[in-house]
Amino acid sequence: MRYVWIGWIVLLLSAGWVWGHPFEGNGGYVQGQVDFEPNDAPPVAGRATVAWIEYIRVGSLPINPQDCFCTLLFYQGRVSATAQPDAQVRMQLNPRTGRVEGVVKFPKPGPYFLVLMGRPMPGKQIPPFIMQSIIQVLPR
C-alpha cells in the first residue's frame, strides 16, 4: 500500500512538469485559470512575476474576479491549515490592465501547489471558494 501512495505522489508531481501555460486548476466543483506574465510563460525562481486571474467558475456560476477578495498561496511542500506558504500574493484590480493581478516572487525552482482562495467583496453575492493546481517554477 505504501508503494501505491509513492506512485501517486510521483505521478502528481510529474504531471506538474508536463503542464504548460495557461494552466487550469480545480477544487471539486471550482474551476479557474491563473496566468503568469510575460506571455503566459512559466514563472522563474527569484524573479518578480505578475500573476492574474483569467476566470473562475463555481459549479455553473461564472465569477467575476473583481467581485472577490482573492489570495494566491504557493507551497513547495506540505499543504495544510498550519503550514506557511512559500510565496503568497493578495490579488487586486489593476486599473491600467483591467485585470485582477498581483506580483509574486518564488524563492526556489521546482513544483509548487497553487491554492487560490476567494471570498465575496462587500455587497457581492458569490460563494467563497478554494481552487488548487500544480505549477512548475523554472530555475533562473
Side-chain angles (χ1 to χ4, degrees), residues 12-13 15-17 19-21 23-24 34 36 42-43 73-76 104 106 109-114 132-138:
L12 185 62
L13 291 177
W17 289 311
W19 289 343
H21 280 271
F23 69 88
E24 294 187 41
V34 177
F36 293 97
L73 307 170
F74 300 93
Y75 298 87
Q76 248 198 334
V104 62
F106 294 94
Y112 283 81
F113 290 99
L114 174 150
Q132 57 206 1
S133 186
I134 297 176
I135 64 166
Q136 178 68 24
V137 174
L138 301 176

Side-chain angles (χ1 to χ4, degrees), residues 26-42:
N26 63 53
Y29 69 108
V30 178
Q31 295 179 325
Q33 183 170 317
V34 177
D35 295 316
F36 293 97
E37 294 294 340
N39 302 320
D40 300 330

